[in-house]
């Protein structure tokens, strides 16, 4: 499944970059992300509960922020496995300065396997975009606090 | 096909249900169970506790009053179908209920359960939006009323909070007799690929006094096709005009590709079904 | 009585229990101390298994045992294929019951868990953590053959499982042709979905060393034969029982890992073990059907005479070779691509290809729907190319009545037929000319009506054993029957066929009632148990009535022959002077004296006074091997309208004119035609498995996989002509698959006919609303025609 979108955040690219690479902020803002524990190699162990309302998949795995270009871009790689299947996300995230602040754009794909892939087709992309929207709304709020 | 272990509690009153929701870990309300139980069997949902609200009398109220119909959250689809007064006063609702799933589901499934589940292709979503339904909730802070336009927040995400209970749905009966619900079912699931609820009121001179149309299934979320109202209000209906109105109404939705059903196809289907629902409603 | 029973609309005997919920299905079996087994399945289409962590199970009460692929390696044989087409270079790759190094499709089993209840079992299946290293996957057969594609098996370079050819030289005909039509068709992957998913229960008796496996199978003896080998146990100590089976459509032919694992666990744990497939599992692991890409060329004259047909097919076989998998796209497809037409030159070339998908095997029609689709679609394409009515093209090329027995370019001998008669009957019933006028009038109004034909023939009643051997089927295709008349005159019939919904408990009783002159209610048909039936090859390929019924007729005749000798003794007349009619033996020309079969039977068992050379008792068996396949045929017509705004295809009429020889029970034949037609319509309009790039099945439930529904169907019209087959004692031809074979191209031809004003010539199945709508949009934009 393709994941692609962008959102203008009222904060500088540097602030946005910092927020979006800060594990504490990510756990606060990413719906379903329960825990991120840093490992020695710079990646994180992650616990996720992804979904909407009562429909949730539990995944545990790794989350890594790679190819970091401070204030400009990075790549988010997430591998989660759970009882009903797996979810792997590979996103490149860009931060571009715009008059209103920063245009955060993401482009990549999510691979989903198991029960969700098999029976959730009708809902899967709608749910993904809903979660991304929620995430960016939360980030926007965080950014306001930083600016304000 | 066996759910993961859960606790089962039956509430006798709304207050008790709210207490259980607060006390029990990961509690979830059980109404007719036609959506929740299959999800639990697939283990896509794993509530810690099921709070059964089916025996709460207050939730089974079903009254057609002069100004509104009050549908308790536990009113089952078949009761809606069997209500003669409702058929006369809000035919749109039984028309939509009649095409929900199959007789088994219609005998167990509830109007409130459907609303709370907020499936983006639910037939009733279009009815709620077109007929300005109002959702009456009870929570720790007391009663809260939510308008239909604020109800559907995301796929399977209604405005209902985890500590709240949907008590009843109220639909005003101010609507004209020209009503129709038309559905193009998904060939596999039978859910609406496009389901359209249309209400048309005519002025004595035949022109359109008001029109309300809502679409379910086609877009990422159910939506009110306000473009239709803008295009038709005060106009005299014609095929050409209805076509243009449908075009504008369909443009109010947000569409996404979904397997073989492209966004373009979905929007087209919304347009076609709006046009047909308008024609059917205005002929009724 | 014989008049009354054969050809009568007798209600199905089995329905009394089936429709009242009294059927006994495998999952109904409950044994004391029974354990429940389940399989941990790969969520990846292609991956290496790094490690399996079962530690979490220690916390769960009720988990009895876990077996991983490594545990079973060397203890269980590879799951074999039973069809090795000659000269096809078939790569018989290893198929372990549980993957031990690599998984090759979503659903491939990696561990078996045995627990004391299903609830515990499902918790345990979730608790096992498998560490996978994902590998690139390929789901499409053309992509799988390309250089650099992911390799599934070491021994199958470029994933080619087989390469097979048949037919005659076609070069000369193509040189002479006025017209050459070329098309590439994709025949999508289908998921069988019988009402009952698979299930197996196994019980081991330590005292006797005997293992009983109750299983949802179409062919218990083949299962016993294969499982005895895989499990490494003596065949006579293994009993396989198919109780009531809720449909199979080919998906219950194969010997699967799951049933073998259940047998292994029951023997190993000394406890009964049950495994029941969930519907979700069914979508992923029970064999799929079809999945072809076919390049077809037809050479013809401009006045409608077909000179040659050649086909190159790429058949997706899935991740492993299923039991009949390699035979379906070769023997059952490639030998009949000329269809019902007298075509001088024809050839087929088939590649069977491994991909990271569920294994593909027989699905109702198995190979013949694929072949029929090609030729029937080509006939219409050719007709359009030369501007001739497709009915006329058919008329000019169908094999004529006086050409039978007709040998096709692949060496098959079509037994008997009057193909033109079914076409004429269909045209008359439809009032074809009026329908074409209506179509023309509707076109004037911008409405799309289409008429589609399929004049099919198929090969079924599988089939002589000598041919089975010649085409690489690793078994015989004869059938056994035993007719036992009990001392009171009641009859038990044992058949080696294994009906699972086709109604043979009724039709077989009709055959025996007719031959023996006893009431239907006095006859019990027993099937599906390797301990009660000496041998049999099962039910598939529309073979049960033609071959199993043939065996039964012979056995019944042998019973009558023996009874006749005793009757002559009792009547004190020479045997030659005894007549048998409606269950009574008479002296020739004397209807006043006589003895009933019942009286004779009692004497046969009492044996107080038998002729000196006659053994006591009254039963007879027959092992019947037919001399050839049977070739049912007919004309199917679909009339459709297309809603150009939504792309929805509506079936307005569907007419099936079939010839399956003499009809034993019209109601059952109609039922078979109805079911078959609807399944074929399913392929044309609704069904189709879809995978994503990573090999995830996207249509893994009824939410996304569309089965045909009653609301989408018109009232089906069925008619018959009767041309007996000379190849079996009853003259019958199979009818279990004809509907599926004929209807898919009839419907697609109708839709293409409807859309012809837009210049649309072909669309990929299923012709779902968006496919049709997008084609109409594209045609309008490019051509501006409407």
């Amino acid at each position: 499944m393709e994941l692609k979108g962008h959102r203008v955040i009222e904060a500088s690219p540097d602030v946005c970059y910092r927020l979006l690479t800060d594990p504490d902020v990510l756990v606060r803002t990413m719906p379903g992300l329960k825990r991120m524990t840093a490992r020695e190699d710079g990646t994180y162990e992650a616990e996720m509960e992804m979904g909407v309302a009562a429909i949730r998949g539990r995944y545990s795995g790794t989350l890594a922020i790679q190819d970091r270009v401070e204030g400009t871009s990075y790549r988010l790689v997430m591998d989660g496995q759970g009882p009903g299947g797996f979810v792997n996300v590979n996103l490149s995230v860009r931060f571009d300065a715009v008059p209103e602040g920063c245009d955060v754009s993401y482009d990549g794909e999510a691979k989903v396997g198991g029960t969700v892939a098999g029976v959730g087709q009708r809902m899967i992309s709608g749910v993904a975009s809903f979660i991304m929207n929620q995430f960016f709304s939360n980030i926007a709020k965080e950014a306001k606090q930083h600016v304000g | 096909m066996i759910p993961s272990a859960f606790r089962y509690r039956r509430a006798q009153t709304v207050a008790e249900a709210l207490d259980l929701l607060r006390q029990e870990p990961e509690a979830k309300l059980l109404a007719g169970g036609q959506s929740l139980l299959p999800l639990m069997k697939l283990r896509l949902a794993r509530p810690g506790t099921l709070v059964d609200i089916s025996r709460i009398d207050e939730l089974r109220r079903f009254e057609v009053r002069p100004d509104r119909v009050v549908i308790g959250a536990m009113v089952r689809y078949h009761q809606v179908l069997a209500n003669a007064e409702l058929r006369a006063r809000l035919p749109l609702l039984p028309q939509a209920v009649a095409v929900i799933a199959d007789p088994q589901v219609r005998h167990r499934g509830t109007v409130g359960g459907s609303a709370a589940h907020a499936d983006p292709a639910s037939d009733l979503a279009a009815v709620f939006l077109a007929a300005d339904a109002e959702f009456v909730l009870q929570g720790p802070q007391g009663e809260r009323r939510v308008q239909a336009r604020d109800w559907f927040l995301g796929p399977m995400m209604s405005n209902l909070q985890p500590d709240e209970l949907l008590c009843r749905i109220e639909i005003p009966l101010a609507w004209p007799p020209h009503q129709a619900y038309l559905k193009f079912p998904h060939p596999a699931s039978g859910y609406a690929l496009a389901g359209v609820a249309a209400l048309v009121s005519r002025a004595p001179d035949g022109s359109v006094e008001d029109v309300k149309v809502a679409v379910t299934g086609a877009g990422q979320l159910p939506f009110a096709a306000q473009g239709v109202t803008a295009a038709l209000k005060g106009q005299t209906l014609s095929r050409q005009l209805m076509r243009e109105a449908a075009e504008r109404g369909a443009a109010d939705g947000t569409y996404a590709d979904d397997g073989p059903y492209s966004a373009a196809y979905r929007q087209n289907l919304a347009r076609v079904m709006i046009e047909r629902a308008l024609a059917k409603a205005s002929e009724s | 009585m014989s008049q009354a029973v054969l050809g009568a609309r007798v209600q199905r005997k089995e329905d009394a229990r089936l429709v009242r919920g009294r059927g006994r299905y495998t999952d109904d079996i409950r044994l004391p101390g029974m354990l429940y087994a389940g399989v941990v399945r790969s969520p990846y289409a292609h991956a290496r298994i790094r490690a399996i962590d079962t530690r979490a199970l220690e916390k769960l009460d009720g988990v009895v045992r876990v077996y991983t692929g490594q545990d079973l390696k060397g203890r269980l044989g590879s799951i074999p294929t039973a069809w090795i087409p000659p000269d096809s270079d078939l790569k018989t790759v290893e198929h372990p019951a549980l993957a031990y190094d690599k998984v090759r499709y979503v659903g491939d089993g990696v561990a078996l868990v045995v627990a004391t209840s299903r609830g515990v079992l499902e918790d345990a299946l979730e608790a096992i953590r498998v560490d996978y290293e994902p590998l690139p996957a390929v789901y499409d057969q053309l992509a799988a053959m390309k250089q650099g594609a992911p390799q599934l098996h070491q021994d199958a370079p470029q994933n080619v499982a087989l390469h097979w050819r048949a037919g005659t030289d076609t070069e000369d005909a193509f040189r002479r042709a006025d017209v050459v039509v070329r098309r590439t068709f994709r025949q999508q992957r289908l998921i069988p979905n019988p009402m009952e998913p698979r299930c197996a229960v196994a019980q081991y008796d330590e005292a006797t060393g005997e293992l009983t496996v109750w299983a949802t199978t179409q062919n218990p003896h083949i299962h016993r034969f294969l499982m005895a080998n895989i499990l490494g146990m003596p065949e006579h100590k293994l009993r396989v029982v198919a109780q009531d089976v809720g449909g199979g459509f080919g998906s219950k032919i194969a010997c699967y890992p799951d049933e073998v694992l259940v047998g292994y666990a029951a023997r190993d744990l000394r406890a009964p073990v049950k495994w029941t497939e969930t519907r979700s599992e069914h979508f992923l692991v029970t064999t799929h059907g079809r999945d072809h890409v076919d390049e077809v060329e037809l050479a013809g004259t401009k006045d409608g005479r077909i000179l040659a047909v050649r086909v190159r097919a790429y058949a997706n076989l899935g991740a492993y070779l299923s039991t009949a998998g390699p035979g379906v796209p070769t023997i059952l497809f490639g030998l009949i691509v000329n269809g019902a037409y007298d075509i001088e030159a024809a050839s087929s070339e088939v590649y069977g290809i491994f991909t990271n998908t569920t294994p593909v095997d027989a699905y109702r029609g198995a190979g013949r729907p694929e072949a029929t689709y090609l030729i029937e679609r080509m006939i219409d394409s050719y007709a359009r190319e030369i501007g001739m009515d497709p009915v006329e093209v058919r008329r000019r090329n169908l094999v004529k009545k006086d050409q039978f027995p007709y040998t096709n370019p692949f060496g098959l001998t079509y037994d008997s037929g009057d193909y033109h008669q079914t076409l004429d009957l269909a045209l008359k019933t439809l009032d074809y000319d009026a329908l074409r006028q209506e179509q023309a009038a509707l076109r004037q109004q911008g409405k799309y009506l289409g008429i589609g034909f399929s004049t099919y023939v198929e090969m079924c009643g599988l089939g002589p054993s000598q041919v089975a051997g010649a085409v690489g089927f690793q078994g015989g295709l004869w059938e056994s029957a035993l007719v036992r008349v009990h001392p009171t005159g009641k009859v038990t019939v044992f058949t080696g066929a294994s009906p699972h919904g086709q109604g043979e408990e009724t039709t077989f009783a009709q055959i025996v009632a007719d031959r023996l002159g006893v009431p239907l209610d006095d006859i019990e048909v027993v099937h599906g148990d390797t301990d009660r039936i000496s041998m049999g090859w099962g039910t598939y390929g529309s073979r049960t009535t033609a071959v199993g019924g043939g065996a039964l007729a012979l056995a019944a005749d042998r019973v009558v022959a023996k009874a006749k000798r005793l009757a002559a003794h009792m009547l004190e007349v020479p045997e030659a002077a005894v007549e048998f009619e409606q269950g009574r033996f008479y002296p020739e020309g004397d209807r006043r004296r006589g003895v009933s079969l019942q009286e004779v039977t009692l004497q046969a068992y009492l044996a107080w006074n038998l002729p000196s050379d006659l053994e006591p008792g009254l039963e007879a068996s027959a092992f019947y091997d037919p001399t050839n396949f049977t070739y049912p045929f007919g004309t199917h017509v679909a009339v459709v309208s297309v809603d150009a705004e939504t792309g929805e295809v509506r079936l307005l009429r569907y007419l099936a004119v079939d010839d399956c020889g003499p009809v034993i029970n019209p109601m059952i034949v109609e039922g078979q035609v109805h079911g078959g037609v609807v399944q074929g319509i399913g392929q044309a309009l609704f069904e189709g498995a879809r995978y994503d790039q990573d090999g995830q099945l996207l249509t893994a439930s009824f939410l996304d996989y569309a089965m045909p529904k009653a609301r989408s169907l018109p009232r089906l019209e069925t008619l018959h002509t009767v041309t007996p087959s000379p190849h079996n004692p009853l003259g019958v031809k199979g009818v279990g698959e004809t509907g599926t074979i004929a209807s898919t191209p009839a419907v697609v031809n109708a839709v293409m006919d409807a859309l012809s004003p837009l210049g649309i010539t072909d669309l990929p199945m299923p012709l779902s609303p968006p496919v049709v709508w997008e084609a109409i949009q594209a045609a309008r934009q490019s051509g501006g025609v409407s």
Side-chain angles (χ1 to χ4, degrees), chain A:
Chain A
M1 172 180 46
E2 191 188 42
L3 287 178
K4 195 173 177 165
H6 74 114
R7 177 73 80 92
V8 174
I9 308 278
E10 291 175 19
S12 70
D14 280 341
V15 169
C16 288
Y17 184 92
R18 216 168 51 237
L19 290 174
L20 282 158
T21 50
D22 178 342
D24 291 337
V25 174
L26 289 177
V27 168
R28 267 204 306 276
T29 53
M30 175 60 92
L33 183 57
K34 297 274 176 212
R35 213 157 46 77
M36 271 175 79
T37 317
R39 301 199 302 196
E40 281 178 11
D41 61 357
T43 65
Y44 300 91
E45 252 171 56
E47 297 288 329
M48 288 158 275
E49 202 180 275
M50 285 165 71
V52 279
I55 308 163
R56 301 193 164 274
R58 291 175 192 169
Y59 302 97
S60 58
T62 60
L63 194 153
I65 296 174
Q66 304 173 346
D67 309 338
R68 293 169 182 251
V69 182
E70 203 74 30
T72 307
S73 66
Y74 66 77
R75 174 172 295 279
L76 180 78
V77 180
M78 204 169 80
D79 290 312
Q81 266 206 47
F86 65 85
V87 56
N88 300 333
V89 176
N90 193 325
L91 274 187
S92 67
V93 185
R94 281 195 59 82
F95 302 84
D96 293 306
V98 289
E100 302 90 329
C102 174
D103 186 1
V104 184
S105 58
Y106 58 94
D107 189 354
E109 61 167 358
K111 295 185 177 187
V112 182
T115 314
V116 171
V119 306
Q121 284 307 315
R122 192 168 66 88
M123 225 64 90
I124 205 163
S125 68
V127 168
S129 67
F130 180 74
I131 290 174
M132 289 308 276
N133 265 333
Q134 246 186 1
F135 171 56
F136 277 110
S137 299
N138 294 343
I139 287 287
K141 276 182 216 152
E142 290 271 341
K144 262 201 188 113
Q145 287 166 12
H146 275 256
V147 176

Side-chain angles (χ1 to χ4, degrees), chain C residues 590-641:
Chain C
D590 180 4
R591 284 288 184 274
R592 288 163 309 165
R593 230 149 52 87
V595 286
S596 68
L597 178 69
Q598 194 181 348
E599 291 167 300
V600 174
T601 306
L602 183 61
Q603 292 310 316
Y605 280 96
L606 293 174
W608 294 338
N609 179 12
L610 298 183
S612 57
D613 56 348
L614 198 72
E615 291 175 3
L618 188 59
E619 67 176 53
S621 61
F623 293 81
Y624 168 67
D625 204 351
T627 54
N628 194 353
F629 300 113
T630 68
Y631 293 83
F633 58 90
T635 299
H636 283 216
V637 194
V639 183
V640 304
S641 69

